[in-house]
Amino acid sequence: MGSQPSHGSFVGHNPQQQAPAPTASNASLGNLKSMADVEAGVSSGANGKRRNWKVISFLRSLSAKLSRSLKIDSTPEKKVRKSITSIVAFIIREIPRHRANPINGAEMIVSRWGLPSPSAQRGLATWPTDFSRDIKPIPCHSHNDYWRHVPLYDALAAGCTGVEADVWSSSKLEDDLYVGHDHNSLKSERTLKSLYIDPLLTILNNQNKPSPLFSPNQTSLLPSSIDPKVGIFDSSPSTSLTLLIDLKTAADTTFPIVLAALQPLLQANYLTTYSPNTGIIPGPITVVATGNTKFTANILSPANTDPIRSIFFDAPLPALSDLNPSAEDLLYSTDNSYYASVSFSEAISTDHFMQMTDKQVEKVRKQIQAAKAKGLVSRYWDTPDWPQGKTREVWGVLKRAGVGVFSTDHLATFQEFWDGEGDAE
């Protein structure tokens, strides 16, 4: 992963059970059911109530692995030997990630989503010890996160360190913003507050509950002026989650509402902030604005009623390596920006079938290095999501070049890639 700006980590101010393998009773290696049949059986289950998404994810991955392994060798003996070896290794590696039984609060919430409220929220009672237990943060940005089965929680359960919400202002909703990809998808119950602000407050409030083992009067090793907050991930409490807010409506009306909506997180000291007097103060959440956000008017302007900068800019990645930068391009820094992004198809290539050329790889490398030089997190959105071989090729190029974060719609596929699949030189 590429180097992070100083406000990417906040504690210490440093910048930079297994369940048994699921089975299908009428399936075998020689006569495997179609995935549609298997999914139908898993979806209905013994009580016919809901789909076990972890089991389905496991079966899909296993089916794909089997199909690939059978094409490797020509002789039947080699096929069988290769298939068995490949599948056994796959199962050993994958069962912990595809376990049917959730083992932490994030997975518990995802698995119970849609059930009656008391049951669905029961996982929250286990804080602060296991909400994100065994979740390893990875440089994954959940693109269009609101489309997921459970917005925010699906991404956290996968270890993503970035989530994205497209927001719309409306005269019918004065103090909140609708979340959705376009006008037709907007619903009154899907807002920035309900999908992101309130859940993040709940998570962080529980993660930061004082331990009953320590007296409030006990002296901390930290200066009294510092109020340290732990983040979402138990395994990496200094990792800051990036909340990317994409303004779809005019910034003049939308940006002030975003600022107001973030106040509960800001007042609780959960946001990364900047002021000329303090510099960057890292927090568990780093908010980045993109879309119709205006760099000068919204991010830099003294007219900003918030004396502390709590929203950072998504800088244009190509501008950072431009040989003839504009006056605005020269201003991007960690004081005002966090991500530096561009559409991969617009900046690099739209070809989903040909291998990237040396010139394209070099262009990617230069753009990523330019972002690193300014301390910003490079990000390419609109990377190819098919065919899968192309996806993995592009991800491999980006990883070797040190990209800051990977923007993706396919969390499970990226997890597999990050664990070592498809990253060969």
Side-chain angles (χ1 to χ4, degrees):
M1 180 174 174
S3 61
Q4 301 285 355
S6 60
H7 45 308
S9 298
F10 53 95
V11 174
H13 294 247
N14 181 15
Q16 294 288 310
Q17 192 208 76
Q18 295 185 10
T23 59
S25 59
N26 294 324
S28 67
L29 293 182
N31 184 27
L32 192 66
K33 283 187 174 184
S34 71
M35 284 309 300
D37 292 336
V38 174
E39 288 188 21
V42 175
S43 299
S44 60
N47 55 16
K49 284 188 176 179
R50 71 186 304 277
R51 170 180 297 186
N52 190 320
W53 66 280
K54 284 282 186 180
V55 176
I56 291 172
S57 178
F58 175 87
L59 291 173
R60 281 176 173 162
S61 301
L62 179 57
S63 177
K65 191 73 174 181
L66 176 60
S67 297
R68 289 198 299 271
S69 66
L70 290 176
K71 296 177 182 177
I72 294 175
D73 296 297
S74 56
T75 65
E77 294 81 2
K78 287 185 177 181
K79 282 186 177 181
V80 171
R81 185 166 58 251
K82 184 70 176 180
S83 297
I84 293 175
T85 302
S86 177
I87 291 169
V88 168
F90 171 81
I91 291 175
I92 291 173
R93 186 182 71 249
E94 294 293 306
I95 282 179
R97 190 166 71 219
H98 295 275
R99 51 187 156 254
N101 298 321
I103 67 160
N104 55 56
E107 290 184 358
M108 185 77 71
I109 292 168
V110 170
S111 67
R112 290 178 174 174
W113 200 261
L115 297 179
S117 182
S119 176
Q121 298 299 316
R122 195 173 297 145
L124 308 187
T126 60
W127 265 304
T129 58
D130 74 346
F131 171 73
S132 55
R133 184 180 68 194
D134 289 353
I135 295 177
K136 180 182 69 174
I138 57 178
C140 164
H141 173 88
S142 179
H143 180 245
N144 291 340
D145 180 77
Y146 47 85
W147 272 349
R148 306 204 179 280
H149 173 57
V150 189
L152 179 64
Y153 291 102
D154 267 337
L156 295 183
C160 288
T161 52
V163 294
E164 179 177 338
D166 295 351
V167 300
W168 306 71
S169 60
S170 170
S171 58
K172 297 180 180 179
L173 197 66
E174 295 181 358
D175 59 348
D176 203 352
L177 296 158
Y178 292 118
V179 173
H181 195 65
D182 50 45
H183 280 103
N184 296 331
S185 65
L186 304 183
K187 296 182 180 180
S188 59
E189 66 272 17
R190 296 174 64 82
T191 68
L192 183 64
K193 184 174 185 294
S194 66
L195 295 183
Y196 295 97
I197 304 299
D198 287 349
L200 287 171
L201 272 172
T202 300
I203 293 170
L204 290 171
N205 284 342
N206 280 283
Q207 292 287 85
N208 286 277
K209 278 183 178 177
S211 170
L213 301 178
F214 292 90
S215 165
N217 296 324
Q218 284 183 299
T219 303
S220 170
L221 295 176
L222 294 172
S224 59
S225 59
I226 296 178
D227 179 20
K229 301 292 185 182
V230 300
I232 290 172
F233 301 102
D234 291 334
S235 64
S236 182
S238 65
T239 295
S240 186
L241 177 75
T242 305
L243 174 59
L244 181 66
I245 301 179
D246 188 339
L247 275 61
K248 293 299 184 182
T249 43
D252 294 345
T253 56
T254 310
F255 195 81
I257 302 175
V258 173
L259 278 174
L262 292 172
Q263 286 304 303
L265 290 169
L266 179 63
Q267 292 170 4
N269 294 327
Y270 292 147
L271 296 186
T272 296
T273 60
Y274 167 83
S275 73
N277 294 330
T278 65
I280 293 292
I281 299 181
I285 306 293
T286 300
V287 179
V288 180
T290 189
N292 287 329
T293 304
K294 299 174 181 177
F295 179 62
T296 302
N298 299 138
I299 304 297
L300 299 184
S301 175
N304 185 341
T305 56
D306 188 348
I308 298 175
R309 180 175 296 143
S310 56
I311 301 179
F312 296 84
F313 196 57
D314 184 18
L317 181 57
L320 304 184
S321 56
D322 195 326
L323 296 179
N324 297 297
S326 67
E328 183 173 286
D329 293 341
L330 297 173
L331 297 177
Y332 301 128
S333 72
T334 55
D335 292 347
N336 53 52
S337 303
Y338 185 76
Y339 275 165
S341 308
V342 70
S343 163
F344 184 88
S345 62
E346 292 180 8
I348 307 299
S349 173
T350 58
D351 196 323
H352 284 207
F353 299 98
M354 298 298 291
Q355 188 173 8
M356 290 179 65
T357 65
D358 291 343
K359 184 177 180 180
Q360 290 169 338
V361 172
E362 179 63 15
K363 185 176 182 179
V364 165
R365 190 192 66 79
K366 286 183 177 179
Q367 290 181 343
I368 291 174
Q369 290 303 314
K372 282 185 177 181
K374 284 187 171 285
L376 303 182
V377 179
S378 52
R379 179 180 73 99
Y380 289 90
W381 52 276
D382 195 26
T383 52
D385 58 5
W386 70 275
Q388 196 171 92
K390 181 65 176 181
T391 302
R392 290 171 178 271
E393 179 216 342
V394 171
W395 283 348
V397 169
L398 296 180
K399 185 175 182 180
R400 290 188 290 274
V403 74
V405 70
F406 294 76
S407 182
T408 181
D409 295 301
H410 308 286
L411 305 187
T413 304
F414 180 75
Q415 280 182 306
E416 182 183 356
F417 163 81
W418 191 252
D419 285 345
E421 294 284 324
D423 191 36
E425 294 288 345

